[in-house]
Amino acid sequence: MKRQIIHIDKEKCDGCGLCVPDCPEGAIQIIDGKARLVSDLFCDGLGACIGNCPRGAISTHVREAEAYDEARVMENIIPQGENTIRAHLKHLSDHGLTAHVEEAIRILEAQDLPVPEFRQARAGCPAGGCPGLAQQDIAPQEAIQSPQAGRSELRHWPVQLHLINPGDPSFDAADLLICADCVPFAHADFHSRFVKNKRVVMLCPKLDSGIAAYVEKLATIFSNRRIRSITIARMEVPCCGGVEVIVRNALQRAGQSAMARVEVVSIQGDMR
């Protein structure tokens, strides 16, 4: 069958192994100094390993592959203990794979094994939902700190990709800024150069979890909303290239050929 599955570029891979812990299914191992996909059966194609590859060697694509097998995956995961089981269940749950979650729980229950808690509430968030998730527009305000201070050009909330609603109609005909979350700290003129007149999406390709969900969410936006332009703002460090990988994969998933303009900021704050 044809399905989404990871691909590892052996020429780019340096065998650092950072991708291995983020694949609780055990689909990736370091063999002969390179990361290898050891079994199609174990790979769910969600790409949780992508963001932790500093060389940009991992991507997802569609090819002929054996179907993902939750039962086989659980056979591999259960001996690794409760923490690995919890990570796997959370991984599936975060990506909305309810059927796989339910199958995994049935397997645990059939073996009289405890089901670890994996749906973690955010600290400080009431049962009705975290106020920080509330979608809102922000009216322009003049600088109030000092005459020399610039004003914020942010016109919407939230901006973190985990929290953004891909169905938000304000994305229609929007100029989109997809930004690595270190850029605002490095570039002094971030608001006037990057944020002004744009819808902002922020992420960290190295440290954020659920990278495959990022790809899916962006693909949904690209598919269903008439995006006028895409600007990527990233740091010069290699791991930040993951932002470009995520956007490229999302465009491919959406069947879009639009090209993103890439702006690279040095650690000293200069444009490269």
Side-chain angles (χ1 to χ4, degrees):
M1 63 177 294
K2 282 192 174 183
R3 68 178 183 92
Q4 192 83 10
I5 198 164
I6 67 161
H7 170 73
I8 303 172
D9 187 329
K10 64 180 181 181
E11 299 301 324
K12 293 181 179 179
C13 176
D14 61 5
C16 70
L18 291 176
C19 54
V20 174
D22 284 320
C23 181
E25 294 77 23
I28 299 178
Q29 295 180 18
I30 302 300
I31 300 174
D32 297 330
K34 299 282 185 179
R36 308 287 188 189
L37 176 62
V38 295
S39 175
D40 292 354
L41 294 170
F42 295 164
C43 179
D44 55 21
L46 297 175
C49 49
I50 290 176
N52 282 324
C53 180
R55 301 295 300 274
I58 305 177
S59 59
T60 61
H61 65 168
V62 177
R63 66 165 172 82
E64 289 288 341
E66 291 183 87
Y68 172 77
D69 189 330
E70 183 63 38
R72 290 284 299 276
V73 168
M74 289 301 290
E75 287 180 10
N76 186 48
I77 283 177
I78 287 172
Q80 299 179 54
E82 180 179 339
N83 288 336
T84 302
I85 295 170
R86 178 183 293 108
H88 174 62
L89 293 174
K90 185 178 185 302
H91 172 64
L92 296 175
S93 179
D94 285 349
H95 291 84
L97 300 179
T98 306
H100 288 321
V101 172
E102 292 174 350
E103 183 179 359
I105 291 174
R106 285 196 299 270
I107 291 169
L108 291 171
E109 291 175 342
Q111 299 184 33
D112 292 325
L113 296 172
V115 178
E117 177 55 47
F118 59 93
R119 297 182 179 95
Q120 297 178 352
R122 291 181 176 86
C125 293
C130 181
L133 298 177
Q135 185 174 305
Q136 57 183 296
D137 294 326
I138 301 172
Q141 293 182 342
E142 295 299 327
I144 59 175
Q145 294 181 338
S146 72
Q148 293 77 31
R151 71 177 187 183
S152 171
E153 297 291 346
L154 186 65
R155 298 293 173 263
H156 67 99
W157 186 264
V159 296
Q160 215 288 334
L161 186 50
H162 267 304
L163 306 181
I164 284 174
N165 174 13
D168 181 357
S170 64
F171 279 110
D172 281 336
D175 294 300
L176 197 62
L177 171 66
I178 301 176
C179 179
D181 58 11
C182 291
V183 173
F185 295 95
H187 191 68
D189 201 25
F190 175 73
H191 276 262
S192 61
R193 182 182 181 99
F194 292 112
V195 179
K196 189 174 183 179
N197 299 323
K198 292 184 175 66
R199 304 292 294 184
V200 180
V201 174
M202 294 192 68
L203 60 99
C204 176
K206 182 174 179 63
L207 299 179
D208 289 357
S209 62
I211 295 299
Y214 281 179
V215 173
E216 291 292 343
K217 186 172 285 192
L218 287 174
T220 299
I221 294 172
F222 298 154
S223 297
N224 300 331
R225 302 296 168 187
R226 296 173 292 110
I227 302 299
R228 290 194 304 189
S229 68
I230 302 170
T231 300
I232 295 173
R234 50 156 293 194
M235 298 298 295
E236 64 177 337
V237 294
C239 60
C240 216
V243 180
E244 296 180 53
V245 174
I246 290 167
V247 173
R248 184 168 61 248
N249 287 344
L251 287 168
Q252 183 181 28
R253 183 76 60 87
Q256 302 286 341
S257 58
M259 296 299 292
R261 180 166 63 94
V262 180
E263 300 271 16
V264 180
V265 179
S266 73
I267 295 173
Q268 291 75 30
D270 302 321
M271 300 304 302
R272 288 297 176 94

